């Protein structure tokens, strides 16, 4: 156990890590956060996406779509059974787990490029961590990533495989490169493709991930930038991470990306709900400019939420929550901590039944929250899988969850529900 106050000196810790990354020659400054961000480099502008063809997911104009984890073909095909059998396997697995094991299933911990997989072996074997994020500039190709993925899976207990995740959006957010990996175009460029063409390309990119032992792509982005002056929007527009300026077309292209990943047998994550397109600051690196004063949950308004509604038609395996705050929805806390947004809207109104993951809980946006309360607040709001971009944050987040679950039966039940959703996803993927 490390000293909590030392670990929570967030600004100093991130400066030190950034300096270390520079010394190591790492090209991606975004490694200080991890779950879905990029380094600023080349910039571009988007044009409206073309109309989808008939093979794309059709738009839904009803107040609620009906996506669920079972909609994704990826897992059930690998598991060789129905979603019901997957759910039963997950329930049996959960019934035999200790609270420590359940909490471990809620953790996604980082493995940085250049680090040996054995550096996080104890997290997997002893702390029961169930998911790993490959972060940084992995440049040794499919063979090198496959070697690391195989080692990581070897640390997990029999019958309880790992979710191995990567940010492989394209453009400035592509962590896995080298022989066997395509140079994926930016989302802006992908948005100029037909949805059929994008689905086919995503199938190819997903096949490369699968060959490397990566079973979850933390993509696509369904955020919609609020104006044509895209550079002011640091997290999305300035980095060409959106498919275009139309929420409907963004959602349809995101759905095509999800479908392509599913075609390759890889799980997909739609992010960053309910959208980062109307903030100026990047939540990974600042707590300033991250309050959205315009986005609402009005599905008929054609705003950011419409893009997510369209994307959910494809049945993504996870939805990643934003760390911005939304004044018109719940101005009291970031979306990831808002039960009104997670449970009240995403799960109840949009009827999403899959895994809800967080953006990096090592981000500056949540730097004022005690580290040991980050996971507690996320799970309390209805979240499931906690993405962590700094390994120093893993232990306090774990301890915070355990301590709360051991003294609060209501929270312990929430942990059970979250772990069951994660295990059900794993069962559909043949990992449980």
């Amino acid at each position: 156990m490390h000293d909590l106050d030392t670990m929570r000196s967030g600004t100093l810790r991130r400066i030190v890590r950034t300096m270390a990354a520079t010394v190591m020659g790492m090209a991606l400054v975004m490694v200080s956060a991890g779950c879905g961000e990029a380094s600023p480099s080349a910039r571009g502008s988007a044009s409206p996406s073309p109309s989808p063809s008939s093979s794309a997911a059709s738009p839904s104009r009803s107040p609620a779509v009906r996506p669920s984890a079972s909609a994704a073909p990826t897992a059930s095909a690998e598991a060789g059974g129905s979603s019901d059998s997957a759910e039963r396997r997950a329930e049996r697995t959960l019934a035999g787990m200790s609270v420590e094991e359940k909490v471990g299933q809620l953790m996604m911990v980082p493995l940085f490029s250049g680090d040996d997989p054995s550096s996080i072996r104890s997290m997997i074997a002893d702390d029961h961590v169930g998911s790993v994020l490959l972060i940084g500039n992995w440049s040794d190709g499919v063979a090198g990533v496959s070697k690391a993925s195989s080692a990581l899976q070897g640390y997990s207990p029999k019958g309880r495989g790992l979710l191995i995740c990567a940010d492989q959006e394209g453009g400035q957010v592509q962590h896995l490169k080298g022989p066997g990996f395509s140079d994926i175009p930016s989302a802006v460029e992908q948005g100029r493709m037909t949805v059929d063409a994008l689905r086919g390309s995503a199938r190819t990119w997903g096949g490369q991930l699968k060959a490397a032992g990566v079973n979850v792509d933390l993509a696509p982005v369904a955020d919609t930038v609020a104006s044509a002056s895209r550079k002011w929007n640091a997290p999305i527009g300035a980095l060409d991470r959106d498919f275009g300026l139309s929420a409907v077309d963004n959602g349809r292209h995101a759905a095509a990306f999800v479908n392509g990943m599913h075609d390759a047998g890889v799980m997909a994550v739609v992010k960053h709900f309910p959208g980062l397109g109307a903030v100026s600051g990047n939540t990974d690196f600042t707590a300033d400019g991250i309050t959205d004063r315009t986005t609402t949950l009005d599905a008929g308004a054609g705003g950011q939420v419409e893009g997510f509604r369209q994307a959910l038609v494809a049945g993504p395996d996870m939805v990643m929550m934003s760390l911005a705050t939304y004044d018109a929805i719940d101005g009291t806390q970031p979306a990831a901590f808002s039960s009104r947004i997670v449970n009240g809207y995403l799960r109840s109104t949009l009827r999403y039944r899959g895994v809800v993951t967080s953006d990096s809980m090592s981000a500056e946006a949540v730097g004022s929250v005690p580290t040991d309360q980050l996971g507690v607040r996320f799970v309390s709001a209805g979240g499931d899988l906690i993405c962590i971009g700094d390994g120093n944050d893993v232990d306090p987040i774990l301890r915070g969850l355990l301590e709360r679950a051991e003294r609060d039966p209501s929270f312990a039940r929430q942990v059970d529900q979250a772990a069951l959703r994660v295990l059900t996803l794993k069962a559909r993927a043949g990992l449980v």
Side-chain angles (χ1 to χ4, degrees):
M1 297 286 186
H2 299 287
D3 180 74
L4 178 58
D5 291 335
T6 300
M7 282 186 288
R8 199 50 203 169
S9 57
T11 301
L12 177 60
R13 186 184 66 218
R14 291 175 177 87
I15 291 173
V16 170
R17 186 168 62 253
T18 301
M19 292 174 62
T22 302
V23 172
M24 291 172 63
M26 297 176 66
L28 296 178
V29 300
M30 50 67 64
V31 297
S32 64
C35 305
E37 302 301 337
S39 59
S41 55
R43 302 289 187 253
S45 60
S47 59
S49 304
S51 298
S53 68
S54 59
S55 64
S58 60
S60 170
R61 289 298 176 187
S62 60
V65 294
R66 295 193 303 272
S68 69
S70 62
T74 325
S76 58
E78 289 196 15
S82 68
S83 60
D84 286 339
S85 66
E87 290 164 3
R88 288 195 295 270
R89 287 198 302 277
E91 289 168 356
R92 289 194 298 271
T93 301
L94 183 71
M97 295 172 71
S98 66
V99 64
E100 291 83 4
E101 291 172 313
K102 294 172 184 176
V103 164
Q105 290 299 308
L106 311 187
M107 307 290 286
M108 183 195 301
V109 304
L111 177 66
F112 285 82
S113 59
D115 288 354
D116 193 276
S118 62
S119 64
I120 62 171
R121 179 173 187 165
S122 65
M123 291 184 186
I124 299 168
D126 301 328
D127 296 327
H128 316 291
V129 162
S131 301
V132 175
L133 170 66
L134 304 182
I135 183 173
N137 230 0
W138 292 72
S139 58
D140 47 357
V142 168
V145 176
S146 178
K147 182 178 179 181
S149 298
S150 179
L152 292 169
Q153 291 289 8
Y155 303 147
S156 62
K158 184 178 180 180
R160 201 181 302 163
L162 299 173
L163 297 176
I164 298 183
C165 314
D167 274 322
Q168 203 79 337
E169 298 174 18
Q172 298 178 60
V173 187
Q174 181 177 346
H175 287 233
L176 310 182
K177 297 185 178 182
F181 289 115
S182 299
D183 289 329
I184 303 174
S186 71
V188 167
E189 295 173 271
Q190 294 174 37
R192 298 185 182 118
M193 301 166 67
T194 67
V195 289
D196 282 340
L198 178 55
R199 180 171 183 166
S201 293
R203 182 188 304 118
T204 297
W205 305 328
Q208 296 165 358
L209 291 174
K210 188 176 179 66
V214 176
N215 48 33
V216 179
D217 188 2
L218 298 181
V221 163
D223 312 68
T224 302
V225 178
S227 76
S229 302
R230 305 175 71 256
K231 292 184 179 181
W232 70 272
N233 176 246
I236 307 298
L239 299 173
D240 296 338
R241 299 176 70 196
D242 56 318
F243 295 110
L245 297 176
S246 162
V248 172
D249 284 343
N250 275 348
R252 292 173 179 171
H253 278 75
F257 191 103
V258 170
N259 285 329
M261 285 290 153
H262 286 172
D263 292 342
V266 172
M267 291 171 270
V269 181
V270 169
K271 60 190 184 186
H272 311 79
F273 191 82
L276 287 173
V279 297
S280 60
N282 187 326
T283 54
D284 269 359
F285 307 120
T286 182
D288 298 323
I290 61 170
T291 297
D292 180 327
R293 306 189 190 284
T294 60
T295 294
T296 71
L297 297 179
D298 182 356
Q304 291 197 82
V305 170
E306 181 61 25
F308 287 94
R309 286 167 77 305
Q310 298 287 340
L312 288 177
V313 173
D317 306 273
M318 301 187 206
V319 171
M320 180 181 287
M321 298 302 301
S322 161
L323 297 180
T325 298
Y326 298 82
D327 273 355
I329 306 171
D330 180 354
T332 66
Q333 56 198 330
F337 299 150
S338 171
S339 179
R340 178 178 180 185
I341 297 176
V342 179
N343 277 332
Y345 191 78
L346 180 58
R347 293 202 191 278
S348 297
T349 301
L350 295 185
R351 303 179 192 171
Y352 180 71
R353 300 294 181 261
V355 169
V356 173
T357 187
S358 71
D359 207 341
S360 173
M361 287 297 181
S362 301
E364 288 295 336
V366 291
S368 63
V369 178
T371 312
D372 65 346
Q373 295 304 300
L374 290 167
V376 171
R377 290 185 61 178
F378 180 60
V379 173
S380 295
D384 305 312
L385 186 58
I386 304 157
C387 178
I388 302 171
D390 182 346
N392 288 326
D393 292 335
V394 173
D395 182 68
I397 290 175
L398 268 171
R399 285 191 290 110
L401 289 167
L402 282 170
E403 290 169 4
R404 179 66 177 270
E406 288 171 348
R407 63 180 172 81
D408 183 344
S410 177
F411 184 76
R413 287 191 292 272
Q414 289 181 299
V415 167
D416 282 0
Q417 292 169 350
L420 181 60
R421 282 189 285 262
V422 173
L423 290 169
T424 300
L425 179 62
K426 289 186 173 186
R428 292 194 178 100
L431 297 169
V432 169

